[in-house]
Amino acid sequence: MSWPASVHDLVQSHRITAVIYAAAKLDLAEAIGDDEKPVAELARLVSADEGALRRLLIGIATLGLCKQVDGDRFAMTELGRQLDAAAEPSFKDWVLFEGEMLAQSWSGLVDSVRTGRTATQLRGDGADRYAATGQATEWTRRFNAAMVNLTRTMVPKIVAAHDFAAARVVMDVGGGIGELIGGVLQRVSHLEGITFDLARCEADAHAHFDRLGLASRCRFVAGSFFEKIPGGVDTILMKSILHNWDDNRCALILRNCRDALAPGGTLIVIERILPELATTDPEHRSCVMSDLNMLRGPGGRERTYSEYRRLVIPAGFIFTGITGIGPFSLVEFKRARR
């Protein structure tokens, strides 16, 4: 089931051009040919990193250019064969022409697929875009404003999907200027809230809580979720946080969440969920394009439901439920009593 198209969806259309360009540049149509081929073989044929190439193949599967036969085998479709230089008709040269005109921010996708390294790593900028831009105030304002746009549309769905009746103190980990926690507290009057994020967000968060009339019920705590997350809460929210990081960094964040919660406390993870087998469903496409955006840019990845379970449960949590909320899913866990 898809959700209505919006400007948010349309403005990301450049990602589709970038993904088709990368497939053409890597000669994927020629490598796959008329057969089904496993990712490992294709990676050897096009000199690419196997894991990154699988992510690209899933991307073009959501566009109808290939099909994911099972988890690791792919075949070209009739549409996708137009990327083969020898096909009739072939649009490979046109794709390469359009792709070369694309904004440079996505031009590194081919290099990322070949090497398995993000654009940030290839530039040698370090692994943590968010910390590196800690003093880039204009970037920070723009990023936070973009997240506010997206979060504001999701708050009613989050409150409808999770029963906060038993909660008393809720903390949004990586909560920016407090849009999510503020929206939740406006709708659930008995809650107290905390936004936990880097100190650069503090002044704007305080101003936001004042505007909402929530300063007496909501506060900001500065810190890094890689170091320690403050305790004294019964519920932790994390929206669009884990997808920013690799598994090792996520494991550290999750262990810190566990340590901050009392046994039986609730962890709510709000993320896009990758399909186990990609189709041309618009929701699949949106999620996979987000995954490739993470690959070519700051790092991190979108994950399947089973991958999130494998990531979160070993950190000391028990899975309790999942609810779809538009293009995202709300996944609930309880801190294990041990």
Side-chain angles (χ1 to χ4, degrees):
M1 182 177 180
S2 62
W3 69 100
S6 69
V7 170
H8 173 265
D9 303 316
L10 295 173
V11 78
Q12 298 180 93
S13 300
H14 64 283
R15 299 181 179 188
I16 294 174
T17 303
V19 167
I20 298 172
Y21 169 76
K25 190 76 172 175
L26 289 166
D27 301 322
L28 275 177
E30 290 89 343
I32 294 174
D34 295 327
D35 301 320
E36 299 173 7
K37 284 193 172 70
V39 177
E41 180 182 351
L42 290 171
R44 290 192 298 271
L45 289 173
V46 303
S47 301
D49 175 84
E50 184 176 338
L53 181 62
R54 183 178 185 276
R55 292 165 74 176
L56 180 68
L57 285 162
I58 291 172
I60 65 172
T62 68
L63 299 175
L65 300 177
C66 74
K67 44 180 193 178
Q68 189 177 8
V69 180
D70 57 36
D72 287 297
R73 296 181 68 86
F74 292 83
M76 295 305 291
T77 63
E78 286 300 317
L79 182 65
R81 289 191 180 94
Q82 294 178 12
L83 294 178
D84 187 329
E88 183 57 48
S90 171
F91 290 100
K92 183 173 185 176
D93 287 330
W94 185 262
V95 167
L96 294 174
F97 169 71
E98 290 283 356
E100 296 296 345
M101 292 197 299
L102 193 63
Q104 290 300 304
S105 63
W106 269 75
S107 65
L109 180 59
V110 173
D111 291 334
S112 290
V113 173
R114 288 198 187 280
T115 65
R117 303 176 70 201
T118 70
T120 301
Q121 292 169 332
L122 289 168
R123 290 194 305 268
D125 292 345
D128 187 346
R129 176 189 71 173
Y130 302 94
T133 56
Q135 301 305 314
T137 55
E138 185 55 38
W139 184 93
T140 301
R141 282 194 293 271
R142 183 69 68 193
F143 177 80
N144 284 338
M147 293 303 100
V148 164
N149 282 175
L150 183 59
T151 300
R152 191 168 288 165
T153 66
M154 294 178 60
V155 170
K157 299 182 180 73
I158 292 168
V159 173
H162 178 76
D163 184 1
F164 287 93
R168 290 295 174 266
V169 183
V170 180
M171 177 167 54
D172 185 9
V173 170
I177 67 168
E179 181 67 30
L180 175 55
I181 200 69
V184 170
L185 263 62
Q186 283 183 303
R187 290 165 173 81
V188 188
S189 60
H190 73 272
L191 290 179
E192 295 181 19
I194 299 170
T195 292
F196 179 71
D197 210 320
L198 299 175
R200 67 190 184 205
C201 299
E202 184 166 5
D204 287 338
H206 285 311
H208 182 61
F209 298 148
D210 285 339
R211 282 194 300 272
L212 296 180
L214 294 172
S216 63
R217 294 171 51 208
C218 201
R219 59 193 174 93
F220 183 94
V221 176
S224 167
F225 46 51
F226 293 121
E227 297 171 6
K228 183 178 180 180
I229 294 172
V233 302
D234 51 64
T235 304
I236 287 177
L237 293 170
M238 282 201 299
K239 175 191 161 292
S240 301
I241 299 298
L242 295 179
H243 82 146
N244 289 319
W245 309 103
D246 64 25
D247 286 358
N248 290 334
R249 300 278 262 178
C250 285
L252 178 56
I253 297 169
L254 289 164
R255 287 196 298 270
N256 288 337
C257 287
R258 176 200 62 204
D259 293 345
L261 286 168
T266 300
L267 171 67
I268 300 172
V269 173
I270 301 165
E271 295 282 0
R272 298 175 186 269
I273 302 295
L274 272 176
E276 297 289 347
L277 287 177
T279 72
T280 56
D281 185 297
E283 288 191 25
H284 288 191
R285 184 182 308 149
S286 176
C287 186
V288 171
M289 292 299 158
S290 179
D291 178 58
L292 291 170
N293 183 48
M294 303 307 291
L295 172 63
R296 68 91 221 160
R301 63 186 308 126
E302 307 297 351
R303 295 173 172 89
T304 64
Y305 163 67
S306 58
E307 287 172 332
Y308 272 115
R309 287 187 56 138
R310 288 196 296 270
L311 191 65
V312 179
I313 290 174
F317 290 94
I318 299 167
F319 169 75
T320 57
I322 182 170
T323 306
I325 48 172
F328 287 77
S329 291
L330 186 150
V331 193
E332 300 180 47
F333 299 88
K334 292 285 187 184
R335 187 196 189 281
R337 295 183 179 275
R338 57 175 174 82

